[in-house]
Amino acid sequence: MAVGDNAEAAIRSYIAFGKETTFGTYASATTAIEAISCNFRVDKESIKLETLNKSRDFSKRVQTNQNVEGTLEMYAHPIESVLLLATALGGGIATSSQSGIAIHTLTAGNFDTSPSSLSFNIRKGSTHTWRYLGGRPNTVTLTGEVGSPIMMSLEMVFKDATQLSDDISNTLSVSNIAPFVYHQGQYIYAAVQGSLTTTLAEPIQSFELVINNNIVSDEAARQLGSQIPGVLPATQREVNLTITQRWDTTTNYARFMQATEGSVRLQFTGSAVTSSSVLTYQWQIDMPKVLMNSPDPELGGAGDILQSEISFDVITDNPQTTTGKAIVVTVQNTTNAY
């Protein structure tokens, strides 16, 4: 049988992950997710050596740095996406219980609190399995627009990967809870974070939230004697928010021109926890200190509705303190611990 005679369908694949105790040491991957796509892969850089060898052609080639990375795309899920988002924030998870549900607070930190890295177990097709070790989200992007589910994309960087026979498909199960949809979301702007709870939501048509950890994986993260990174440190975190909103007032323009500081909350409220419960699956994403950029509407065609695409600079509310934060996420679901 020749290579390529058979065909493997992507639909037969699975994706599972778990949090590592030690960076780069495989942890049992028990949490399954229903991803849309995943292109994690191993690449090795190579050099064709220039030598005087009596020929016009290269005669030797060597491999240098090994890079393991890729993008995972999924729907933002009230349960399955939480550990991924918490790892991207790098500040750990604090969990408490209330009225039969669990409240998880995900804070932004320095990747020195669990979960600080993830292991993945991924079957590609029906047979071949890979382990990906020491995974950290370099960027995570949440997007929502009218008519669509809320989407989540993670650009992952790994320390290493191994291809082996480690099929765990029989031990995995996925949640029967649906992901968040656009009509379950709200955008709230207030002067200060304390007023977000009592301020009316503003209608918007779309949003994009990007958290960039600026992880270093080049030569500065490597050392002699190994092709893989020894560390994957994160440098300055950057949080950016962009919304699209119908334009009907100069209120946002005034906030922009006067460099007015405000607070933003993105809130997603899903299905009820039980059929008899008023408690719901919920995400609450707070950015305590934001400043607006460029809210002017653009004039399109005669049949267009005036809209503004507004970007925000998201900065920490209390710099140089242990309590300062640019973003914090509160999750309400039925999972007792992550």
Side-chain angles (χ1 to χ4, degrees):
M1 182 180 295
V3 175
D5 270 351
N6 288 328
E8 287 282 355
I11 194 66
R12 300 289 302 278
S13 308
Y14 70 73
I15 299 172
F17 68 97
K19 63 180 181 180
E20 296 180 346
T21 302
T22 303
F23 171 68
T25 300
Y26 182 74
S28 180
T30 57
T31 302
I33 56 174
E34 289 186 290
I36 300 170
S37 66
C38 178
N39 63 3
F40 296 170
R41 57 181 288 172
V42 178
D43 288 313
K44 287 192 177 185
E45 300 171 14
S46 65
I47 300 175
K48 291 185 285 187
L49 302 179
E50 295 185 8
T51 61
L52 302 175
N53 64 2
K54 300 188 298 183
S55 169
R56 292 181 56 238
D57 298 312
F58 290 96
S59 64
K60 290 184 174 62
R61 167 260 202 187
V62 295
Q63 291 180 324
T64 57
N65 293 338
Q66 176 176 296
N67 304 303
V68 185
E69 55 192 19
T71 301
L72 173 67
E73 292 188 326
M74 64 186 300
Y75 302 112
H77 192 275
I79 297 174
E80 293 175 0
S81 304
V82 174
L83 185 56
L84 293 166
L85 183 57
T87 307
L89 289 173
I93 307 174
T95 300
S96 61
S97 59
Q98 177 181 323
S99 303
I101 60 171
I103 308 295
H104 311 280
T105 302
L106 322 182
T107 54
N110 302 320
F111 288 97
D112 52 5
T113 304
S114 180
S116 63
S117 59
L118 301 171
S119 291
F120 279 77
N121 183 301
I122 299 178
R123 190 178 75 186
K124 300 182 180 183
S126 62
T127 306
H128 304 291
T129 306
W130 276 259
R131 284 181 175 181
Y132 295 88
L133 319 175
R136 285 179 173 166
N138 191 25
T139 64
V140 58
T141 303
L142 281 172
T143 56
E145 60 183 10
V146 172
S148 299
I150 307 302
M151 307 296 294
M152 183 173 177
S153 174
L154 298 105
E155 295 180 11
M156 299 288 301
V157 182
F158 294 90
K159 179 179 180 179
D160 201 2
T162 305
Q163 196 277 314
L164 70 171
S165 299
D166 186 23
D167 192 322
I168 60 172
S169 55
N170 291 333
T171 68
L172 299 174
S173 61
V174 296
S175 172
N176 59 3
I177 304 300
F180 293 117
V181 189
Y182 79 98
H183 58 77
Q184 297 171 327
Q186 286 186 317
Y187 159 83
I188 302 170
Y189 179 95
V192 294
Q193 185 181 12
S195 299
L196 289 171
T197 303
T198 57
T199 303
L200 292 176
E202 296 181 10
I204 61 172
Q205 283 63 59
S206 66
F207 77 89
E208 180 182 73
L209 172 64
V210 180
I211 304 166
N212 186 349
N213 287 310
N214 288 301
I215 289 177
V216 175
S217 60
D218 59 11
E219 284 73 10
R222 300 170 186 264
Q223 60 279 325
L224 294 179
S226 176
Q227 290 182 310
I228 65 176
V231 292
L232 287 174
T235 56
Q236 189 162 44
R237 178 175 37 246
E238 186 174 4
V239 182
N240 292 304
L241 174 67
T242 304
I243 66 169
T244 301
Q245 186 176 45
R246 287 192 298 267
W247 185 87
D248 56 1
T249 174
T250 58
T251 298
N252 283 336
Y253 184 75
R255 292 168 178 166
F256 161 59
M257 292 298 293
Q258 297 164 16
T260 302
E261 295 178 358
S263 295
V264 163
R265 172 174 293 173
L266 297 173
Q267 184 166 302
F268 310 102
T269 303
S271 59
V273 172
T274 66
S275 59
S276 59
S277 175
V278 296
L279 301 172
T280 57
Y281 293 96
Q282 189 174 103
W283 282 13
Q284 182 177 288
I285 303 174
D286 282 1
M287 287 154 274
K289 190 173 182 179
V290 302
L291 296 101
M292 286 187 174
N293 293 311
S294 304
D296 296 38
E298 297 183 3
L299 299 178
D304 290 349
I305 297 295
L306 291 183
Q307 289 185 316
S308 295
E309 183 175 281
I310 305 171
S311 64
F312 294 82
D313 290 326
V314 183
I315 57 180
T316 182
D317 57 348
N318 289 299
Q320 301 177 359
T321 68
T322 57
T323 60
K325 55 188 178 297
I327 184 170
V328 61
V329 181
T330 305
V331 172
Q332 180 174 290
N333 62 24
T334 55
T335 302
N336 293 325
Y338 281 98

